[in-house]
Amino acid sequence: MQRVLSWPEELRIAADRTEMSVLYPDGTRHDLPAEFLRVLTPSAERKGHGTPMVVGGKAAVKIADVRQVGRYAVRIVFDDGHDSGLYTLAYLDELGTDRERLWSQYLDDLARHGLTRDKPGVAALH
């Protein structure tokens, strides 16, 4: 059964800017690393205007800012200049709930396309 999502009680950025914690009123908490949020951005950069992309070289990225967009999403600004992804409440919850599988899939995609977490690069997933 899917949880009913409401606006988080708290969105907290770690002092070192490498993680965002999302705390929901029902007590659910997701700790989401900056790199994880950056490489799974819901923006066109990763969605590829129809062709899904894998983005490498973001191991050291940090969160510069988080901006609320209405009552349904946040825009995360990263220190590499990326700021075009809107992270809806549902997407943030998906990232937190399915974090291990999504991270494993990302690492597999990097390896399959000869990319790494440390060296910048982008490849189409098809």
Side-chain angles (χ1 to χ4, degrees), residues 53-117:
M53 308 295 279
V54 61
V55 179
K58 299 300 177 183
V61 75
K62 296 185 186 294
I63 298 169
D65 194 17
V66 176
R67 300 174 187 154
Q68 184 174 337
V69 178
R71 297 285 295 165
Y72 71 97
V74 295
R75 180 181 309 277
I76 302 174
V77 179
F78 296 93
D79 68 354
D80 67 353
H82 181 75
D83 68 353
S84 62
L86 286 182
Y87 295 77
T88 65
L89 294 181
Y91 189 57
L92 284 174
D93 189 58
E94 176 187 344
L95 290 174
T97 301
D98 211 9
R99 180 177 159 187
E100 287 183 32
R101 184 189 65 78
L102 292 168
W103 184 247
S104 179
Q105 180 180 336
Y106 169 70
L107 294 176
D108 289 348
D109 288 342
L110 282 179
R112 187 170 43 256
H113 294 284
L115 299 172
T116 70
R117 294 176 56 212

Side-chain angles (χ1 to χ4, degrees), residues 3-9 23-30 93:
R3 292 185 309 118
V4 174
L5 293 177
S6 58
W7 189 255
E9 264 186 33
L23 177 64
Y24 293 96
D26 70 359
T28 300
R29 177 184 170 143
H30 299 307
D93 189 58

